[in-house]
Amino acid sequence: MSNARTARLSRRGLLAAGGALGLGALVTACGGEDSKDGGSDAKGAAASGPWSFKDDRGTTVKLDKAPANIVAFTGVAAALYDYGVEVKGVFGPTKTKDGKADVQAGDMDVSKLTILGNTWDQFNVEKYAALAPDVLISTMFDDAGTLWYVPEASKDKIAKLAPSVGISVYDRQITAPLQRMWELAESLGGDMKAAKATEAKKRFEAASERLRKAAKAHPDIKVMAGSASQELFYVSGTNLSVDLEYFKALGVNFIEPPEKAKAQGGGWFESLSWENVDKYQADIIMMDDRSSAIQPADITEATWKRLPAVKAGQVVPRSAEPILSYGKCAPLVENLAKAIETAKKVG
């Protein structure tokens, strides 16, 4: 989906198209925000016996046994994969145009996955039914319980085929959905005591403390979260986005568009023409790494190239929809910490 079409899309479409810089949506310090909803009612239920899980809508899914045929949004599937839980089918950005794994697919072997839809509004209901799904899992980017990348037009048909689980990534810090994904993976049989899982969690906590110290030592360094399309440049606000809310809580000095300017982007971001891309002067620019967004190396606008942070080489990637495993999120925190530690004041 072209980012240039964002003006004609719904709010959900706007977010998916790349304008949701804020999509990545972040509990203070290294500690987590308490999970608002319960997790699995039966730890280890994946081995035998009934299975249940209370999701972030307050809905409890109950099955006679742990689901074997799992279908999930690609980013959710990638997070579960990191904890040893594999899915049968995925929907959402999975393969790039050249057939390689999309950034949101993480470490999964996409050639072995049944892909129900690779772009916004794609979801093959017939293929989904053929998988005999036990459960569908996705994230939620609003407070209405809307499952991410489940098309509005076919959501009712999809809902009749299997129960669903929603993990919220809306208006909270990233530690909350990280904990919820951990609980979900554990309920599905993931080995949460494995060294890979426990060490990744420790690495995330260490990275968070490093970022806190970096932000405290360099309070004058201003950071801007951006995303590029052919026609517009999006500047994300820190509220709503799990990663940015968390980074801000750790002390990072973000450029914050006014609420009125973010209104067109559903409260997530401000849209700027390329002629006005210099409205904000940042020392570091974090750029959306999703395949729906134009990457920094491919931006040709002269106004972009004249930005102080760009000229100084202080542009870093940002996962606007982070894969919610500690192993994938720890490097995101480390990279921002390093960028702040080494940045020159140029804005």
Side-chain angles (χ1 to χ4, degrees), residues 18-25 223-227 233-241 243-245 254-258 262 267-271 280 286 318 320:
L21 289 155
L23 265 204
V223 180
M224 179 171 68
S227 184
F233 182 83
Y234 308 98
V235 180
S236 179
T238 57
N239 61 319
L240 304 184
S241 297
D243 61 332
L244 302 184
E245 283 198 16
F254 279 101
I255 286 173
E256 189 75 55
K262 294 187 293 182
W268 292 85
F269 55 87
E270 176 181 5
S271 301
Y280 302 108
M286 301 174 67
R318 174 198 170 210

Side-chain angles (χ1 to χ4, degrees), residues 22-34:
L23 265 204
L26 301 180
V27 153
T28 56
C30 298
E33 207 175 41
D34 289 338

Side-chain angles (χ1 to χ4, degrees), residues 7-87:
R8 300 192 297 275
L9 297 173
S10 66
R11 175 184 170 193
R12 293 176 71 227
L14 278 167
L15 299 180
L21 289 155
L23 265 204
L26 301 180
V27 153
T28 56
C30 298
E33 207 175 41
D34 289 338
S35 175
K36 295 182 177 67
D37 298 298
S40 170
D41 293 334
K43 292 183 178 180
S48 62
W51 179 86
S52 67
F53 189 85
K54 186 177 181 182
D55 74 359
D56 291 340
R57 298 169 296 185
T59 300
T60 299
V61 177
K62 296 181 179 181
L63 300 173
D64 293 336
K65 59 181 180 179
N69 293 342
I70 302 170
V71 172
F73 172 69
T74 303
V76 170
L80 293 175
Y81 182 86
D82 284 353
Y83 294 131
V85 179
E86 298 191 32
V87 307

Side-chain angles (χ1 to χ4, degrees), residues 81-322:
Y81 182 86
D82 284 353
Y83 294 131
V85 179
E86 298 191 32
V87 307
K88 291 294 180 65
V90 296
F91 55 96
T94 307
K95 288 184 178 180
T96 57
K97 293 180 180 179
D98 58 5
K100 295 180 180 179
D102 188 276
V103 64
Q104 295 190 64
D107 296 330
M108 295 188 296
D109 184 347
V110 296
S111 68
K112 296 181 179 179
L113 295 171
T114 297
I115 302 173
L116 305 176
N118 197 65
T119 61
W120 184 253
D121 259 352
Q122 279 188 354
F123 194 111
N124 190 317
V125 180
E126 291 72 22
K127 189 180 290 187
Y128 176 57
L131 289 175
D134 294 318
V135 68
L136 178 148
I137 309 171
S138 190
T139 46
M140 301 180 297
F141 284 94
D142 59 30
D143 55 7
T146 306
L147 296 174
W148 191 233
Y149 265 79
V150 173
E152 183 71 21
S154 55
K155 67 177 184 179
D156 292 338
K157 292 181 180 179
I158 293 168
K160 291 178 180 178
L161 295 170
S164 62
V165 168
I167 300 298
S168 179
V169 286
Y170 175 73
D171 195 17
R172 61 199 61 204
Q173 296 175 30
I174 199 169
T175 39
L178 274 172
Q179 178 61 29
R180 295 295 282 137
M181 195 64 69
W182 178 284
E183 294 166 359
L184 178 59
E186 183 177 38
S187 79
L188 294 170
D191 184 0
M192 315 315 287
K193 294 182 180 180
K196 179 181 178 181
T198 58
E199 290 174 5
K201 193 171 185 179
K202 290 178 181 178
R203 180 182 173 186
F204 176 83
E205 292 169 350
S208 297
E209 184 58 28
R210 177 182 174 184
L211 179 56
R212 177 189 290 281
K213 291 179 179 179
K216 185 176 181 179
H218 304 279
D220 59 327
I221 296 298
K222 291 186 177 182
V223 180
M224 179 171 68
S227 184
S229 73
Q230 291 179 353
E231 295 180 356
L232 297 169
F233 182 83
Y234 308 98
V235 180
S236 179
T238 57
N239 61 319
L240 304 184
S241 297
V242 290
D243 61 332
L244 302 184
E245 283 198 16
Y246 185 56
F247 298 156
K248 183 178 180 179
L250 292 175
V252 176
N253 182 8
F254 279 101
I255 286 173
E256 189 75 55
E259 292 302 317
K260 185 177 181 180
K262 294 187 293 182
Q264 187 177 2
W268 292 85
F269 55 87
E270 176 181 5
S271 301
L272 298 176
S273 66
W274 284 104
E275 290 77 11
N276 296 314
V277 75
D278 60 351
K279 178 178 180 179
Y280 302 108
Q281 297 296 307
D283 301 298
I284 297 172
I285 302 176
M286 301 174 67
M287 288 295 290
D288 187 348
D289 70 355
R290 292 174 298 171
S291 55
S292 57
I294 298 176
Q295 297 306 300
D298 299 319
I299 298 175
T300 58
E301 281 75 7
T303 49
W304 162 262
K305 295 180 180 180
R306 288 198 297 266
L307 290 176
V310 176
K311 292 171 66 176
Q314 295 177 175
V315 177
V316 297
R318 174 198 170 210
S319 294
E321 290 184 61

